Amino acid sequence: PLKSYKGKVFACLGNHDIESQRAFSSTKHQLANLGIDLLIDEERVINTKCGPIQIVGINYYSKKHRHTITKVCNDFP
């Protein structure tokens, strides 16, 4: 059912999606086939009837990568 919402569905990866290269490749491929916009440390600004909405997708990181999460948040305030 998500295919009918192309351009309106977004995803970011979690720890199980990136545990292995095979899982990562499979997940990326499946999301692309569904027209789902995969956000890896990036943003999209969507114009809605209520005005623009910012969506930020942060790739899964452990606590050891807090600096990366902080950088993404600073890049897209």
Side-chain angles (χ1 to χ4, degrees), residues 22-39:
R22 183 177 178 199
F24 175 71
S25 295
S26 175
T27 301
K28 273 181 63 173
H29 178 74
Q30 291 175 32
L31 291 172
N33 282 342
L34 292 171
I36 295 173
D37 195 357
L38 177 61
L39 303 177

Side-chain angles (χ1 to χ4, degrees), residues 12-28 31 38-41 58-62 65:
C12 54
L13 300 175
N15 61 318
H16 294 291
D17 301 315
I18 60 175
E19 282 181 339
S20 71
Q21 184 61 38
R22 183 177 178 199
F24 175 71
S25 295
S26 175
T27 301
K28 273 181 63 173
L31 291 172
L38 177 61
L39 303 177
I40 299 178
D41 300 340
I58 299 177
N59 212 23
Y60 171 80
Y61 294 103
S62 67
H65 294 98

